[in-house]
Amino acid sequence: MTVRTGSCLCGARAYEIDGDIDGVWVCHCSLCRKASGSNGNWILIVPRDRFRWMKGEHHAVTFALRPTYTITRCKTCGTPLPAELDARNVYVTAGTLDVPLGKGVRTHLFCASRADWDSDEPDARFFDERAG
Ligand SMILES: [Zn+2]
Ligand SMILES: [Zn+2]
């Protein structure tokens, strides 16, 4: 069985996921854009029995922004971390994966809220490393 690893930026927290995931969910709602500081939250939905913390299980701070909306971050580096408030699933922030997923985006949510800057200009530039 495939085991994938993930961690926060400072390495205080690390996790493993067993088995394959069928793709990424992206939420473009205004809350997810603010919370991520980006174009939304990119999430893997992983059944609880296939997710485990390897390090720093309690090294996190959770912000309850609304009754139905919380975010969890590493206490040291502030990386958005997998959320565990659901009884069945863990919502893993895709950017914390250390290894390839082998899948792309499967579902976009709240597309009507998508930021108008969330697209490439026709002359957008692409660099494999930093712009030179
Ligand atoms: Zn960290
Ligand atoms: Zn959202």
Side-chain angles (χ1 to χ4, degrees):
M1 180 172 54
T2 305
V3 177
R4 290 188 170 82
T5 58
S7 59
C8 65
L9 190 58
C10 75
R13 298 197 93 192
Y15 62 82
E16 288 184 350
I17 297 170
D18 293 331
D20 289 326
I21 304 297
D22 69 354
V24 178
W25 293 63
V26 183
C27 185
H28 298 279
C29 83
S30 59
L31 296 178
C32 287
R33 283 192 282 114
K34 294 282 188 189
S36 68
S38 182
N39 65 346
N41 277 327
W42 294 57
I43 298 294
L44 314 175
I45 300 178
V46 181
R48 275 195 171 273
D49 61 355
R50 292 170 50 193
F51 178 93
R52 63 188 162 273
W53 288 108
M54 303 304 290
K55 209 164 119 184
E57 184 166 3
H58 303 294
H59 193 77
V61 56
T62 295
F63 301 90
L65 304 175
R66 294 186 180 183
T68 57
Y69 194 97
T70 64
I71 56 173
T72 302
R73 299 196 174 246
C74 172
K75 271 184 190 172
T76 301
C77 68
T79 296
L81 292 166
E84 303 175 88
L85 299 170
D86 185 292
R88 288 183 306 141
N89 298 304
V90 178
Y91 295 81
V92 177
T93 40
T96 59
L97 275 176
D98 293 329
V99 296
L101 183 63
K103 294 284 183 179
V105 175
R106 173 79 57 186
T107 308
H108 288 273
L109 302 173
F110 286 93
C111 292
S113 294
R114 198 168 182 159
D116 72 344
W117 46 259
D118 184 5
S119 62
D120 292 321
E121 289 295 313
D123 60 348
R125 303 177 303 159
F126 296 84
F127 300 91
D128 285 341
E129 301 289 340
R130 70 168 64 186

